[in-house]
Amino acid sequence: MKTKFLVVLLLTFISNVFAQTEKVSVGILPFSYVSSSADYQNVISIQEAVINSFVKTKRFAIVDRSKMDALKSEKELQKGEDFMDGSVVEQGKSLGAKFLISGHVVSAQAQEMRADDGKGNVEITYKAKLVISLKVIDIETGQVVNSETIEPKAGSSLMGMIGMGASSPQVAIEKAMKSIQEKIDAFVSNNFPVVFSVVEIQEKDSKGAATTILISGGSAFGLKKGTKLKLVEIVEVKVGNTTKQRKKEIGEVKITKVEDEEFSICEVRSGGADLSPKFDAKANIQVITLTE
């Protein structure tokens, strides 16, 4: 009887772990652009870069891209900047998406640059300007919950232009695309922080402060050695007649070892003294990916 109870308890624990780390279903709409400002093939490459930023985290279930094409014409018919209704949301919901990512390539152009060395020799190089706009649409409400314009860091004299010295227009565009990859990754991380549970405190210091913990997230969710996470306590607060959850930050942890797909060991960098008594008191303690 005791064995059966332990089995049920273990299965319940595993079920809770997986529920808290369930992959988010995301649909990425075909990117829009103006033909005078961008080339179709470059737009496709930019869209692939955004898709790859979601895929490589291993935290998302990407809706079949071929099915997203069917939403393109509907999306183009809707001009609202902060709200999207009708067929786009309904079809996205029917495809199982929780969020839609809408992208518009504002500019992806290369400009020829000529440099005369004063001896009659002219060197031709290219620089590129790349600007993209990304939006996150909540399927449940149809609202655009966040919008961001992404472009390379502006140099002192380039005004956002990069790719100086590129041997061709395409090379300039490719250099520009590489330069914004980190910003795209940050967009994904900032808009979709992932939450894991603190499974156990493995080590404490002489004063009882937690120094090492085990969390319910591993390689299956893109976690790596060195990844930093925010340590928070989820508390309920009363606002009028509504009860809301508040994430109260209590510290920071860093992954020292990814054990497998579902678990990692973390060093407690700060907040260990608060973590120990709260964890022992069965407080709702979680770790969440840091945003930029």
Side-chain angles (χ1 to χ4, degrees):
M1 188 71 173
K2 184 177 180 181
T3 301
K4 288 183 179 180
F5 172 76
L6 291 175
V7 170
V8 171
L9 188 64
L10 178 61
L11 290 175
T12 301
F13 167 75
I14 293 175
S15 176
N16 288 337
V17 166
F18 276 91
Q20 290 169 347
T21 55
E22 183 180 358
K23 292 189 176 183
V24 178
S25 181
V26 172
I28 300 178
L29 294 164
F31 280 22
S32 59
Y33 68 103
V34 177
S35 58
S36 60
S37 300
D39 176 81
Y40 172 74
Q41 290 302 324
N42 288 331
V43 172
I44 294 300
S45 296
I46 293 167
Q47 180 174 311
E48 287 298 319
V50 173
I51 292 173
N52 289 337
S53 284
F54 280 91
V55 171
K56 69 184 180 184
T57 67
K58 300 179 182 179
R59 297 196 281 109
F60 300 92
I62 306 298
V63 175
D64 187 346
R65 280 181 270 174
S66 64
K67 294 178 180 179
M68 287 293 99
D69 291 334
L71 301 182
K72 183 178 181 180
S73 59
E74 292 290 345
K75 170 179 169 286
E76 291 175 343
L77 291 175
Q78 298 182 37
K79 305 301 181 182
E81 290 297 315
D82 299 316
F83 194 86
M84 185 173 288
D85 56 12
S87 297
V88 175
V89 171
E90 289 305 315
Q91 290 182 55
K93 189 181 297 185
S94 70
L95 294 175
K98 187 173 182 179
F99 295 94
L100 292 177
I101 305 300
S102 174
H104 177 71
V105 179
V106 179
S107 176
Q109 296 178 311
Q111 180 181 346
E112 182 181 284
M113 304 295 293
R114 290 175 173 267
D116 192 332
D117 63 2
K119 298 179 180 180
N121 299 314
V122 178
E123 180 185 11
I124 299 176
T125 57
Y126 298 86
K127 65 180 180 180
K129 184 174 184 181
L130 178 60
V131 183
I132 65 175
S133 174
L134 297 176
K135 295 179 181 179
V136 180
I137 303 160
D138 187 335
I139 284 291
E140 285 299 316
T141 63
Q143 291 183 328
V144 174
V145 294
N146 192 29
S147 179
E148 185 174 333
T149 298
I150 296 176
E151 58 186 312
K153 290 182 179 178
S156 58
S157 62
L158 296 181
M159 298 296 288
M161 298 283 190
I162 68 158
M164 294 291 287
S167 59
S168 70
Q170 189 56 39
V171 171
I173 294 293
E174 289 172 0
K175 289 177 68 176
M177 287 170 57
K178 287 180 181 178
S179 74
I180 65 170
Q181 188 62 60
E182 282 191 12
K183 289 190 174 184
I184 296 173
D185 292 345
F187 173 84
V188 174
S189 178
N190 293 347
N191 284 283
F192 299 95
V194 64
V195 176
F196 303 102
S197 293
V198 175
V199 178
E200 66 179 18
I201 295 177
Q202 295 193 322
E203 295 179 5
K204 298 181 180 180
D205 64 16
S206 59
K207 296 181 179 180
T211 57
T212 305
I213 63 173
L214 179 69
I215 66 170
S216 63
S219 59
F221 296 90
L223 297 184
K224 300 176 183 178
K225 181 178 179 179
T227 298
K228 295 178 182 179
L229 302 156
K230 184 163 57 177
L231 189 64
V232 300
E233 178 186 8
I234 309 299
V235 295
E236 291 189 346
V237 294
K238 197 80 171 179
V239 181
N241 295 322
T242 305
T243 300
K244 296 185 177 182
Q245 287 191 337
R246 175 191 172 205
K247 294 182 178 68
K248 185 179 179 182
E249 185 171 351
I250 59 176
E252 183 180 300
V253 303
K254 182 173 76 172
I255 295 177
T256 56
K257 181 182 179 181
V258 177
E259 286 198 328
D260 51 32
E261 292 187 342
E262 302 299 334
F263 297 97
S264 295
I265 296 173
C266 300
E267 168 197 0
V268 180
R269 295 167 60 86
S270 63
D274 288 333
L275 172 60
S276 291
K278 290 179 182 293
F279 184 81
D280 293 341
K282 307 299 181 184
N284 187 0
I285 306 297
Q286 299 177 341
V287 288
I288 184 170
T289 51
L290 288 169
T291 57
E292 298 297 328

PDB file of all heavy atoms in Angstrom, residues 46-73:
ATOM      1  N   ILE A  46      14.965  36.526 -43.615  1.00  0.00           N
ATOM      2  CA  ILE A  46      14.733  37.199 -42.334  1.00  0.00           C
ATOM      3  C   ILE A  46      13.683  36.441 -41.526  1.00  0.00           C
ATOM      4  O   ILE A  46      13.818  36.235 -40.318  1.00  0.00           O
ATOM      5  CB  ILE A  46      14.294  38.658 -42.561  1.00  0.00           C
ATOM      6  CG1 ILE A  46      15.447  39.462 -43.171  1.00  0.00           C
ATOM      7  CG2 ILE A  46      13.821  39.297 -41.258  1.00  0.00           C
ATOM      8  CD1 ILE A  46      15.040  40.811 -43.723  1.00  0.00           C
ATOM      9  N   GLN A  47      12.632  35.998 -42.210  1.00  0.00           N
ATOM     10  CA  GLN A  47      11.592  35.222 -41.526  1.00  0.00           C
ATOM     11  C   GLN A  47      12.172  33.920 -40.971  1.00  0.00           C
ATOM     12  O   GLN A  47      11.852  33.524 -39.840  1.00  0.00           O
ATOM     13  CB  GLN A  47      10.449  34.906 -42.504  1.00  0.00           C
ATOM     14  CG  GLN A  47       9.319  34.096 -41.859  1.00  0.00           C
ATOM     15  CD  GLN A  47       8.134  33.925 -42.799  1.00  0.00           C
ATOM     16  OE1 GLN A  47       7.668  34.890 -43.382  1.00  0.00           O
ATOM     17  NE2 GLN A  47       7.663  32.703 -42.936  1.00  0.00           N
ATOM     18  N   GLU A  48      13.048  33.260 -41.737  1.00  0.00           N
ATOM     19  CA  GLU A  48      13.676  32.031 -41.273  1.00  0.00           C
ATOM     20  C   GLU A  48      14.530  32.291 -40.034  1.00  0.00           C
ATOM     21  O   GLU A  48      14.585  31.464 -39.123  1.00  0.00           O
ATOM     22  CB  GLU A  48      14.543  31.428 -42.390  1.00  0.00           C
ATOM     23  CG  GLU A  48      13.763  30.782 -43.518  1.00  0.00           C
ATOM     24  CD  GLU A  48      12.922  29.605 -43.046  1.00  0.00           C
ATOM     25  OE1 GLU A  48      13.429  28.819 -42.213  1.00  0.00           O
ATOM     26  OE2 GLU A  48      11.773  29.481 -43.481  1.00  0.00           O
ATOM     27  N   ALA A  49      15.201  33.440 -40.004  1.00  0.00           N
ATOM     28  CA  ALA A  49      16.036  33.785 -38.838  1.00  0.00           C
ATOM     29  C   ALA A  49      15.180  33.917 -37.584  1.00  0.00           C
ATOM     30  O   ALA A  49      15.576  33.483 -36.495  1.00  0.00           O
ATOM     31  CB  ALA A  49      16.795  35.078 -39.114  1.00  0.00           C
ATOM     32  N   VAL A  50      13.987  34.503 -37.747  1.00  0.00           N
ATOM     33  CA  VAL A  50      13.073  34.652 -36.607  1.00  0.00           C
ATOM     34  C   VAL A  50      12.554  33.286 -36.168  1.00  0.00           C
ATOM     35  O   VAL A  50      12.515  32.966 -34.973  1.00  0.00           O
ATOM     36  CB  VAL A  50      11.904  35.590 -36.962  1.00  0.00           C
ATOM     37  CG1 VAL A  50      10.872  35.612 -35.832  1.00  0.00           C
ATOM     38  CG2 VAL A  50      12.418  37.003 -37.239  1.00  0.00           C
ATOM     39  N   ILE A  51      12.169  32.466 -37.136  1.00  0.00           N
ATOM     40  CA  ILE A  51      11.690  31.114 -36.818  1.00  0.00           C
ATOM     41  C   ILE A  51      12.763  30.327 -36.073  1.00  0.00           C
ATOM     42  O   ILE A  51      12.489  29.665 -35.069  1.00  0.00           O
ATOM     43  CB  ILE A  51      11.268  30.368 -38.102  1.00  0.00           C
ATOM     44  CG1 ILE A  51      10.018  31.017 -38.708  1.00  0.00           C
ATOM     45  CG2 ILE A  51      10.998  28.884 -37.805  1.00  0.00           C
ATOM     46  CD1 ILE A  51       9.630  30.465 -40.066  1.00  0.00           C
ATOM     47  N   ASN A  52      14.005  30.417 -36.552  1.00  0.00           N
ATOM     48  CA  ASN A  52      15.100  29.679 -35.914  1.00  0.00           C
ATOM     49  C   ASN A  52      15.349  30.137 -34.482  1.00  0.00           C
ATOM     50  O   ASN A  52      15.753  29.338 -33.629  1.00  0.00           O
ATOM     51  CB  ASN A  52      16.383  29.824 -36.743  1.00  0.00           C
ATOM     52  CG  ASN A  52      16.332  29.053 -38.042  1.00  0.00           C
ATOM     53  OD1 ASN A  52      15.571  28.095 -38.170  1.00  0.00           O
ATOM     54  ND2 ASN A  52      17.125  29.455 -39.018  1.00  0.00           N
ATOM     55  N   SER A  53      15.100  31.423 -34.205  1.00  0.00           N
ATOM     56  CA  SER A  53      15.265  31.924 -32.841  1.00  0.00           C
ATOM     57  C   SER A  53      14.283  31.240 -31.889  1.00  0.00           C
ATOM     58  O   SER A  53      14.603  31.005 -30.721  1.00  0.00           O
ATOM     59  CB  SER A  53      15.056  33.445 -32.795  1.00  0.00           C
ATOM     60  OG  SER A  53      16.176  34.126 -33.301  1.00  0.00           O
ATOM     61  N   PHE A  54      13.096  30.934 -32.387  1.00  0.00           N
ATOM     62  CA  PHE A  54      12.124  30.206 -31.571  1.00  0.00           C
ATOM     63  C   PHE A  54      12.495  28.722 -31.473  1.00  0.00           C
ATOM     64  O   PHE A  54      12.476  28.145 -30.389  1.00  0.00           O
ATOM     65  CB  PHE A  54      10.717  30.339 -32.181  1.00  0.00           C
ATOM     66  CG  PHE A  54      10.034  31.632 -31.861  1.00  0.00           C
ATOM     67  CD1 PHE A  54      10.173  32.726 -32.691  1.00  0.00           C
ATOM     68  CD2 PHE A  54       9.243  31.759 -30.731  1.00  0.00           C
ATOM     69  CE1 PHE A  54       9.546  33.936 -32.405  1.00  0.00           C
ATOM     70  CE2 PHE A  54       8.604  32.958 -30.426  1.00  0.00           C
ATOM     71  CZ  PHE A  54       8.767  34.052 -31.268  1.00  0.00           C
ATOM     72  N   VAL A  55      12.855  28.137 -32.609  1.00  0.00           N
ATOM     73  CA  VAL A  55      13.129  26.699 -32.659  1.00  0.00           C
ATOM     74  C   VAL A  55      14.306  26.307 -31.783  1.00  0.00           C
ATOM     75  O   VAL A  55      14.255  25.308 -31.048  1.00  0.00           O
ATOM     76  CB  VAL A  55      13.376  26.243 -34.112  1.00  0.00           C
ATOM     77  CG1 VAL A  55      13.870  24.795 -34.143  1.00  0.00           C
ATOM     78  CG2 VAL A  55      12.102  26.375 -34.934  1.00  0.00           C
ATOM     79  N   LYS A  56      15.391  27.083 -31.827  1.00  0.00           N
ATOM     80  CA  LYS A  56      16.618  26.667 -31.136  1.00  0.00           C
ATOM     81  C   LYS A  56      16.503  26.677 -29.616  1.00  0.00           C
ATOM     82  O   LYS A  56      17.306  26.057 -28.925  1.00  0.00           O
ATOM     83  CB  LYS A  56      17.799  27.531 -31.579  1.00  0.00           C
ATOM     84  CG  LYS A  56      17.765  28.976 -31.145  1.00  0.00           C
ATOM     85  CD  LYS A  56      18.949  29.731 -31.753  1.00  0.00           C
ATOM     86  CE  LYS A  56      18.977  31.190 -31.354  1.00  0.00           C
ATOM     87  NZ  LYS A  56      20.079  31.926 -32.020  1.00  0.00           N
ATOM     88  N   THR A  57      15.484  27.383 -29.082  1.00  0.00           N
ATOM     89  CA  THR A  57      15.297  27.365 -27.632  1.00  0.00           C
ATOM     90  C   THR A  57      14.713  26.040 -27.153  1.00  0.00           C
ATOM     91  O   THR A  57      14.801  25.719 -25.963  1.00  0.00           O
ATOM     92  CB  THR A  57      14.336  28.477 -27.183  1.00  0.00           C
ATOM     93  OG1 THR A  57      13.016  28.200 -27.667  1.00  0.00           O
ATOM     94  CG2 THR A  57      14.801  29.844 -27.677  1.00  0.00           C
ATOM     95  N   LYS A  58      14.082  25.303 -28.072  1.00  0.00           N
ATOM     96  CA  LYS A  58      13.439  24.022 -27.765  1.00  0.00           C
ATOM     97  C   LYS A  58      12.270  24.197 -26.792  1.00  0.00           C
ATOM     98  O   LYS A  58      11.835  23.251 -26.145  1.00  0.00           O
ATOM     99  CB  LYS A  58      14.455  23.026 -27.183  1.00  0.00           C
ATOM    100  CG  LYS A  58      15.612  22.722 -28.105  1.00  0.00           C
ATOM    101  CD  LYS A  58      16.587  21.748 -27.469  1.00  0.00           C
ATOM    102  CE  LYS A  58      17.775  21.472 -28.374  1.00  0.00           C
ATOM    103  NZ  LYS A  58      18.737  20.538 -27.754  1.00  0.00           N
ATOM    104  N   ARG A  59      11.760  25.412 -26.710  1.00  0.00           N
ATOM    105  CA  ARG A  59      10.668  25.685 -25.766  1.00  0.00           C
ATOM    106  C   ARG A  59       9.330  25.903 -26.440  1.00  0.00           C
ATOM    107  O   ARG A  59       8.339  26.137 -25.769  1.00  0.00           O
ATOM    108  CB  ARG A  59      11.008  26.927 -24.935  1.00  0.00           C
ATOM    109  CG  ARG A  59      12.229  26.785 -24.071  1.00  0.00           C
ATOM    110  CD  ARG A  59      12.293  27.864 -23.005  1.00  0.00           C
ATOM    111  NE  ARG A  59      12.762  29.154 -23.493  1.00  0.00           N
ATOM    112  CZ  ARG A  59      12.001  30.220 -23.634  1.00  0.00           C
ATOM    113  NH1 ARG A  59      10.708  30.148 -23.370  1.00  0.00           N
ATOM    114  NH2 ARG A  59      12.509  31.362 -24.064  1.00  0.00           N
ATOM    115  N   PHE A  60       9.306  25.844 -27.780  1.00  0.00           N
ATOM    116  CA  PHE A  60       8.078  26.174 -28.501  1.00  0.00           C
ATOM    117  C   PHE A  60       7.659  25.054 -29.451  1.00  0.00           C
ATOM    118  O   PHE A  60       8.492  24.356 -30.022  1.00  0.00           O
ATOM    119  CB  PHE A  60       8.274  27.464 -29.315  1.00  0.00           C
ATOM    120  CG  PHE A  60       8.619  28.656 -28.487  1.00  0.00           C
ATOM    121  CD1 PHE A  60       9.946  28.992 -28.244  1.00  0.00           C
ATOM    122  CD2 PHE A  60       7.626  29.446 -27.921  1.00  0.00           C
ATOM    123  CE1 PHE A  60      10.281  30.085 -27.457  1.00  0.00           C
ATOM    124  CE2 PHE A  60       7.952  30.539 -27.126  1.00  0.00           C
ATOM    125  CZ  PHE A  60       9.280  30.852 -26.901  1.00  0.00           C
ATOM    126  N   ALA A  61       6.346  24.927 -29.590  1.00  0.00           N
ATOM    127  CA  ALA A  61       5.771  24.057 -30.613  1.00  0.00           C
ATOM    128  C   ALA A  61       5.359  24.978 -31.750  1.00  0.00           C
ATOM    129  O   ALA A  61       4.429  25.772 -31.607  1.00  0.00           O
ATOM    130  CB  ALA A  61       4.578  23.293 -30.057  1.00  0.00           C
ATOM    131  N   ILE A  62       6.080  24.931 -32.851  1.00  0.00           N
ATOM    132  CA  ILE A  62       5.806  25.825 -33.973  1.00  0.00           C
ATOM    133  C   ILE A  62       4.714  25.238 -34.861  1.00  0.00           C
ATOM    134  O   ILE A  62       4.826  24.101 -35.329  1.00  0.00           O
ATOM    135  CB  ILE A  62       7.082  26.067 -34.819  1.00  0.00           C
ATOM    136  CG1 ILE A  62       8.223  26.562 -33.931  1.00  0.00           C
ATOM    137  CG2 ILE A  62       6.794  27.062 -35.933  1.00  0.00           C
ATOM    138  CD1 ILE A  62       7.957  27.877 -33.245  1.00  0.00           C
ATOM    139  N   VAL A  63       3.662  26.003 -35.068  1.00  0.00           N
ATOM    140  CA  VAL A  63       2.548  25.558 -35.911  1.00  0.00           C
ATOM    141  C   VAL A  63       3.053  25.368 -37.341  1.00  0.00           C
ATOM    142  O   VAL A  63       3.881  26.137 -37.833  1.00  0.00           O
ATOM    143  CB  VAL A  63       1.403  26.597 -35.886  1.00  0.00           C
ATOM    144  CG1 VAL A  63       0.292  26.210 -36.855  1.00  0.00           C
ATOM    145  CG2 VAL A  63       0.842  26.727 -34.480  1.00  0.00           C
ATOM    146  N   ASP A  64       2.577  24.319 -37.986  1.00  0.00           N
ATOM    147  CA  ASP A  64       2.951  23.997 -39.368  1.00  0.00           C
ATOM    148  C   ASP A  64       2.971  25.260 -40.231  1.00  0.00           C
ATOM    149  O   ASP A  64       1.955  25.930 -40.401  1.00  0.00           O
ATOM    150  CB  ASP A  64       1.940  22.995 -39.932  1.00  0.00           C
ATOM    151  CG  ASP A  64       2.347  22.469 -41.308  1.00  0.00           C
ATOM    152  OD1 ASP A  64       3.247  23.071 -41.929  1.00  0.00           O
ATOM    153  OD2 ASP A  64       1.765  21.475 -41.743  1.00  0.00           O
ATOM    154  N   ARG A  65       4.158  25.573 -40.770  1.00  0.00           N
ATOM    155  CA  ARG A  65       4.310  26.819 -41.515  1.00  0.00           C
ATOM    156  C   ARG A  65       3.457  26.880 -42.774  1.00  0.00           C
ATOM    157  O   ARG A  65       3.032  27.954 -43.194  1.00  0.00           O
ATOM    158  CB  ARG A  65       5.789  27.030 -41.863  1.00  0.00           C
ATOM    159  CG  ARG A  65       6.576  27.580 -40.701  1.00  0.00           C
ATOM    160  CD  ARG A  65       8.017  27.794 -41.076  1.00  0.00           C
ATOM    161  NE  ARG A  65       8.803  26.598 -40.813  1.00  0.00           N
ATOM    162  CZ  ARG A  65      10.079  26.461 -41.154  1.00  0.00           C
ATOM    163  NH1 ARG A  65      10.691  27.418 -41.780  1.00  0.00           N
ATOM    164  NH2 ARG A  65      10.725  25.370 -40.861  1.00  0.00           N
ATOM    165  N   SER A  66       3.188  25.731 -43.378  1.00  0.00           N
ATOM    166  CA  SER A  66       2.365  25.734 -44.591  1.00  0.00           C
ATOM    167  C   SER A  66       0.940  26.189 -44.281  1.00  0.00           C
ATOM    168  O   SER A  66       0.272  26.818 -45.102  1.00  0.00           O
ATOM    169  CB  SER A  66       2.340  24.333 -45.216  1.00  0.00           C
ATOM    170  OG  SER A  66       1.710  23.400 -44.349  1.00  0.00           O
ATOM    171  N   LYS A  67       0.485  25.897 -43.054  1.00  0.00           N
ATOM    172  CA  LYS A  67      -0.862  26.318 -42.664  1.00  0.00           C
ATOM    173  C   LYS A  67      -0.920  27.809 -42.372  1.00  0.00           C
ATOM    174  O   LYS A  67      -1.978  28.429 -42.464  1.00  0.00           O
ATOM    175  CB  LYS A  67      -1.316  25.515 -41.436  1.00  0.00           C
ATOM    176  CG  LYS A  67      -1.489  24.026 -41.731  1.00  0.00           C
ATOM    177  CD  LYS A  67      -1.887  23.254 -40.490  1.00  0.00           C
ATOM    178  CE  LYS A  67      -2.043  21.774 -40.805  1.00  0.00           C
ATOM    179  NZ  LYS A  67      -2.398  20.993 -39.605  1.00  0.00           N
ATOM    180  N   MET A  68       0.229  28.390 -42.012  1.00  0.00           N
ATOM    181  CA  MET A  68       0.272  29.827 -41.745  1.00  0.00           C
ATOM    182  C   MET A  68       0.054  30.642 -43.023  1.00  0.00           C
ATOM    183  O   MET A  68      -0.437  31.766 -42.985  1.00  0.00           O
ATOM    184  CB  MET A  68       1.610  30.211 -41.124  1.00  0.00           C
ATOM    185  CG  MET A  68       1.806  29.776 -39.681  1.00  0.00           C
ATOM    186  SD  MET A  68       0.703  30.630 -38.512  1.00  0.00           S
ATOM    187  CE  MET A  68      -0.570  29.394 -38.298  1.00  0.00           C
ATOM    188  N   ASP A  69       0.414  30.076 -44.170  1.00  0.00           N
ATOM    189  CA  ASP A  69       0.239  30.789 -45.440  1.00  0.00           C
ATOM    190  C   ASP A  69      -1.215  31.148 -45.693  1.00  0.00           C
ATOM    191  O   ASP A  69      -1.524  32.164 -46.314  1.00  0.00           O
ATOM    192  CB  ASP A  69       0.769  29.945 -46.607  1.00  0.00           C
ATOM    193  CG  ASP A  69       2.283  29.817 -46.565  1.00  0.00           C
ATOM    194  OD1 ASP A  69       2.926  30.708 -45.999  1.00  0.00           O
ATOM    195  OD2 ASP A  69       2.809  28.821 -47.097  1.00  0.00           O
ATOM    196  N   ALA A  70      -2.114  30.277 -45.207  1.00  0.00           N
ATOM    197  CA  ALA A  70      -3.541  30.501 -45.436  1.00  0.00           C
ATOM    198  C   ALA A  70      -4.044  31.740 -44.691  1.00  0.00           C
ATOM    199  O   ALA A  70      -5.075  32.305 -45.039  1.00  0.00           O
ATOM    200  CB  ALA A  70      -4.339  29.279 -44.985  1.00  0.00           C
ATOM    201  N   LEU A  71      -3.297  32.167 -43.677  1.00  0.00           N
ATOM    202  CA  LEU A  71      -3.712  33.326 -42.899  1.00  0.00           C
ATOM    203  C   LEU A  71      -3.190  34.640 -43.481  1.00  0.00           C
ATOM    204  O   LEU A  71      -3.601  35.719 -43.058  1.00  0.00           O
ATOM    205  CB  LEU A  71      -3.205  33.205 -41.456  1.00  0.00           C
ATOM    206  CG  LEU A  71      -3.668  31.985 -40.665  1.00  0.00           C
ATOM    207  CD1 LEU A  71      -3.123  32.054 -39.249  1.00  0.00           C
ATOM    208  CD2 LEU A  71      -5.183  31.884 -40.634  1.00  0.00           C
ATOM    209  N   LYS A  72      -2.287  34.547 -44.459  1.00  0.00           N
ATOM    210  CA  LYS A  72      -1.627  35.741 -44.954  1.00  0.00           C
ATOM    211  C   LYS A  72      -2.605  36.760 -45.534  1.00  0.00           C
ATOM    212  O   LYS A  72      -2.581  37.943 -45.199  1.00  0.00           O
ATOM    213  CB  LYS A  72      -0.584  35.376 -46.006  1.00  0.00           C
ATOM    214  CG  LYS A  72       0.204  36.582 -46.505  1.00  0.00           C
ATOM    215  CD  LYS A  72       1.271  36.172 -47.504  1.00  0.00           C
ATOM    216  CE  LYS A  72       2.059  37.390 -47.972  1.00  0.00           C
ATOM    217  NZ  LYS A  72       3.111  37.059 -48.943  1.00  0.00           N
ATOM    218  N   SER A  73      -3.497  36.310 -46.414  1.00  0.00           N
ATOM    219  CA  SER A  73      -4.413  37.248 -47.059  1.00  0.00           C
ATOM    220  C   SER A  73      -5.351  37.883 -46.040  1.00  0.00           C
ATOM    221  O   SER A  73      -5.682  39.068 -46.124  1.00  0.00           O
ATOM    222  CB  SER A  73      -5.224  36.540 -48.148  1.00  0.00           C
ATOM    223  OG  SER A  73      -5.967  35.468 -47.597  1.00  0.00           O
TER     224      SER A  73
END
